[in-house]
Amino acid sequence: MPLALSTAATMQARIRQIVDREDTAYFSADQLNEYIEMAVDEFLQQYYGVFEANQDARDKLESLVKTESKSFASSAYEVAVSTLADSGDDTLIFYRLLSSRLTSSPNTSVKIIQLSDYSAYTNDPFNKADANNPVIYQEGGKLKVLGLSSTTSIDLTYLQYTSTFTDLAGHTYEELCQIAARKILQTLGDPRYSLMQAEVLERNTALGGRSK
C-alpha cells in the first residue's frame, strides 16, 4: 500500500518501496533527494508543454501559477523577469508568461507576442500596437510592452519553475516518486525500467505530451 506522502523522508521511503528487492543497490537519503529533484524537473517539463490545452496538466501545476501586478514605467515600459516570483522563496522562479491585462478598468487584455513578431507591431499600420491594443513580449530577461503612452500597471499571470517537490500540490507526490524510481531503475539497468517507461509513453500519448 502506498505511503502517505508529505515529507522528504516519506518520499524516500516510497521510492525504496517501489525499487527495492534483494539485488537492488542501496541509495542514501541524499542520493534519493537528488533523484526527487530530477523527477520534479521531468514532471514539470512533461506538463508545461500541454498546460494550456490539458486540464489534468493545469490541475497538477496549479500551485505554480501566480498573478501579480507590475508597474511598467514610461521610461522604458519593461520589467525584469528576475523581479517576478520574488516572494522570499528562492526555490521559485519565473518560467513562462500565460496572460496579461491592464490592472485598471476596463482591464484590457495585453496580447503576448513572440520577439519574431516585433516588427509587425511597430511598422505595420494595420497591426501597430497602441493604447487600445498593447502587446507584451520577452527579450533578454525582460518583459517589454508596446503601445503604452504612460506608466501603467499590468496584471501578469505566469508559470513558475521549481526543483523542490513541496512547491507542488500533494496529489502529485506519488507520480513524482514513480518518476524518481524509474530514473533509478534506468541508472541500474534494471529490466523493470522498460515496463515503467512503457506506462509513461502510454500516459503521455493520452496527454499529447512527450516522454524523456
Side-chain angles (χ1 to χ4, degrees), residues 68-84:
E68 65 175 301
S69 299
K70 282 291 184 179
S71 178
F72 286 75
S74 58
S75 57
Y77 299 121
E78 62 184 38
V79 165
V81 297
S82 60
T83 65
L84 300 173

Side-chain angles (χ1 to χ4, degrees), residues 172-189:
T172 67
Y173 293 175
E174 172 63 23
E175 186 171 349
L176 292 174
C177 289
Q178 294 288 338
I179 295 172
R182 174 167 51 81
K183 287 184 170 295
I184 289 172
L185 295 178
Q186 180 184 24
T187 299
L188 297 174

Side-chain angles (χ1 to χ4, degrees), residues 21 23-24 182 184-186 188-198:
R21 65 183 188 187
D23 59 345
T24 301
R182 174 167 51 81
I184 289 172
L185 295 178
Q186 180 184 24
L188 297 174
D190 192 299
R192 290 175 291 171
Y193 167 75
S194 297
L195 296 175
M196 295 183 75
Q197 183 67 5

Side-chain angles (χ1 to χ4, degrees), residues 134-151:
V135 299
I136 188 170
Y137 63 98
Q138 185 173 345
E139 179 186 24
K142 296 181 179 179
L143 292 175
K144 301 182 177 183
V145 179
L146 297 175
L148 301 180
S149 58
S150 61
T151 298

Side-chain angles (χ1 to χ4, degrees), residues 112-156:
I112 301 170
I113 65 169
Q114 301 301 311
L115 182 58
S116 58
D117 297 324
Y118 174 86
S119 61
Y121 289 91
T122 55
N123 301 321
D124 185 341
F126 297 103
N127 290 314
K128 192 170 184 178
D130 56 32
N132 294 319
N133 297 288
V135 299
I136 188 170
Y137 63 98
Q138 185 173 345
E139 179 186 24
K142 296 181 179 179
L143 292 175
K144 301 182 177 183
V145 179
L146 297 175
L148 301 180
S149 58
S150 61
T151 298
T152 304
S153 177
I154 297 179
D155 292 341
L156 305 171

